[in-house]
Amino acid sequence: MKKVDMLGYKDKLHAIRSRLRGDVSTMAEVALRKNGMEGGDSGGMPIHMAELGSDNFEQEFTLSLLETEEDTLTLIEAALERIQDGSFGQCIQCDGAIPKMRLNAIPYTPVCIRCAEAMENR
Ligand SMILES: [Zn+2]
């Protein structure tokens, strides 16, 4: 992939990342508030999942959603690293090129369509 193309995806990845991060902190805040743990100035502080231990189902549910977003953030970080080392756009499974159509839809995907389908059908 051309460097200039990679930079376009880099911008996209940054945009998705900041949006996800915004959502994550908002949702964590809501989960905390529901559990009556607000108070003090927790504003802007990173929240550690372990500190939120609770048997409250609704909170568990919200936090499991957060985990999925964390996974996406991890994929985004990995994609940004691949842009750094120039391997972005290449499938990490089979080394084949990931079609641009797929990258436009999911810029942080590490695998091509064929490998993604193979993983889903496992
Ligand atoms: Zn592949």
Side-chain angles (χ1 to χ4, degrees):
M1 182 180 290
K2 275 184 244 154
K3 194 103 191 170
V4 64
D5 288 340
M6 281 194 197
L7 291 178
Y9 289 113
K10 192 175 169 180
D11 286 345
K12 271 195 170 193
L13 288 164
H14 278 293
I16 299 170
R17 187 172 65 174
S18 49
R19 202 179 64 205
L20 274 178
R21 278 186 177 163
D23 290 348
V24 166
S25 56
T26 308
M27 284 172 72
E29 219 170 275
V30 170
L32 281 176
R33 199 163 294 159
K34 274 187 183 154
N35 207 33
M37 281 172 68
E38 69 168 336
D41 57 327
S42 57
M45 290 290 286
I47 293 150
H48 297 286
M49 296 301 165
E51 291 172 21
L52 298 175
S54 161
D55 51 7
N56 179 306
F57 172 77
E58 199 173 357
Q59 190 183 30
E60 294 284 317
F61 179 71
T62 309
L63 293 176
S64 71
L65 280 180
L66 288 180
E67 240 166 51
T68 313
E69 296 199 341
E70 288 294 327
D71 289 346
T72 308
L73 284 171
T74 307
L75 287 173
I76 291 171
E77 293 299 335
L80 287 170
E81 273 172 31
R82 289 196 300 280
I83 288 176
Q84 284 288 338
D85 66 27
S87 64
F88 181 80
Q90 202 176 320
C91 175
I92 61 165
Q93 293 278 343
C94 69
D95 287 341
I98 303 173
K100 279 194 181 160
M101 246 177 71
R102 176 167 169 78
L103 286 172
N104 287 337
I106 323 166
Y108 48 81
T109 186
V111 291
C112 67
I113 296 166
R114 213 186 306 168
C115 291
E117 279 175 357
M119 281 195 283
E120 272 168 29
N121 295 331
R122 202 153 46 181

